[in-house]
Amino acid sequence: MAVKSGAPWWAHLMMYAGGVTMVVAGATAGIAQYALHTANNTIEAEDILGDNRAEMDVEDISGPLNILVLGVDKQGGSTRSDTMIMVHVNADLTEVSMVSLPRDLYVEIPDCGPDWGNNTCFQKLNHAASISDDWDVTRANVVDTIYNLTGVEFHMGATVDFEGFMDLVDLVEEIELCPWHEITSIHGDNRVFPEGCNYYNKEEALDLIRQRYPWDDPEDYESGLWGDYGRQAMQQQAIKALIKELKADGYASDPTRLTQVLEGLEGKLTMDLPDGLSAVDLALNLRDLNPEDITSIRVPATSQETEVGSSEVIAEGEQQIAADALWEALQNDTMTEWIAQYPEWVKQTGNNTAPTTEEPAGEETSSEATTD
């Protein structure tokens, strides 16, 4: 049985047209409609996919749908993509699979930048987003790299600025985060985050969810939560905690307060939708999807040393066969069959206070034992 785990916040946002319906879940129909209308006028349009776009009937929305979500980092006047997520919705719009592409995945990149004569090279995936300070150039390079790797055509796309989105923590003052073991920040002040659940303000929360290297204990490797995977797990906790606090503080039911949330999303989320499809249309058609019930998939790869350093490599043989089958399943809407055949690549995230080891392939794991 596939493990259902909470998806990273950007997948939640994509599924719910900017996260608005998550915030207004349980609110009155009038408030929800108001929120969606406001979101439709707040979310910026961006040409993310370029020519790598699948056709879609916007008059009669149905699956399967493939959605590319890029988590972006905006610093020093430049924009880089440091997270790449492939979201798949099945034909009935009832099931969602999410494939996280490791930033250190060893891939062929069509444009490796001026130092490489703007030629093709084999590098870490994250390098595709570092060839220029021009976001139009790097974004196209990232999308082309992913398309060349997978052959998957996307129906829509989104970019999300996570650190900008976390500015919303100021609205609720603090959120609860639960590291599964003590870590020390590598970001200058050596702040120590103890094991277990504590409340953190925006500055502290941002510091914690940016950590990659401290997730380096044996238990992290045993549970698949080392390095960037550990960072993703903390980001998952952060978005769930933020939404929980927003709801508890009444932002879901008070239109005036809800406006603060919507205004807070402006400039932090862009969407690339087919002509004639609005964010409201998308949200209404995907309203029955449960963001807590997304199957998270790891790319079949292992850590290896390459000429560009420690990388995630899709090894020849069984891993290459599984990866090729994964790309085909995304394109042909056969993810259920792929998951049944390759359960070892279904992501395990453990609980909030201690990661769990991965179950042997083929054994069932209860969704209640996984982290959101």
Side-chain angles (χ1 to χ4, degrees), residues 56-195:
M56 179 179 172
D57 183 359
V58 298
E59 299 296 330
D60 182 20
I61 298 176
S62 62
L65 300 175
N66 286 313
I67 306 162
L68 179 62
V69 184
L70 304 177
V72 298
D73 181 20
K74 298 179 179 179
Q75 294 185 9
S78 65
T79 300
R80 305 286 175 87
S81 177
D82 58 1
T83 307
M84 300 87 171
I85 305 291
M86 305 167 71
V87 180
H88 177 82
V89 186
N90 71 345
D92 297 331
L93 303 182
T94 57
E95 297 180 357
V96 182
S97 302
M98 183 195 67
V99 180
S100 299
L101 296 170
R103 55 187 286 143
D104 291 337
L105 187 63
Y106 187 67
V107 296
E108 184 176 11
I109 298 175
D111 181 357
C112 279
D115 292 342
W116 297 77
N118 295 106
N119 294 318
T120 298
C121 73
F122 282 88
Q123 253 282 6
K124 298 178 184 181
L125 176 57
N126 198 46
H127 181 78
S130 64
I131 64 168
S132 171
D133 287 333
D134 186 337
W135 172 234
D136 289 339
V137 173
T138 56
R139 180 191 58 218
N141 198 41
V142 169
V143 174
D144 287 344
T145 300
I146 294 172
Y147 176 75
N148 291 346
L149 171 69
T150 67
V152 174
E153 294 182 326
F154 297 96
H155 300 84
M156 59 191 80
T159 71
V160 197
D161 175 8
F162 184 60
E163 293 197 9
F165 185 83
M166 287 298 291
D167 287 342
L168 294 177
V169 173
D170 279 341
L171 295 178
V172 297
E173 296 185 356
E174 294 180 321
I175 60 173
E176 185 180 43
L177 297 174
C178 306
W180 47 91
H181 63 73
E182 178 182 295
I183 68 168
T184 300
S185 173
I186 64 169
H187 296 144
D189 58 5
N190 296 318
R191 179 186 286 120
V192 175
F193 296 97
E195 176 184 343

Side-chain angles (χ1 to χ4, degrees), residues 66 88 150-152 321-335 338:
N66 286 313
H88 177 82
T150 67
V152 174
I321 292 171
D324 289 343
L326 175 58
W327 315 142
E328 183 176 350
L330 289 167
Q331 187 70 14
N332 298 334
D333 194 29
T334 55
M335 283 302 299
W338 188 91

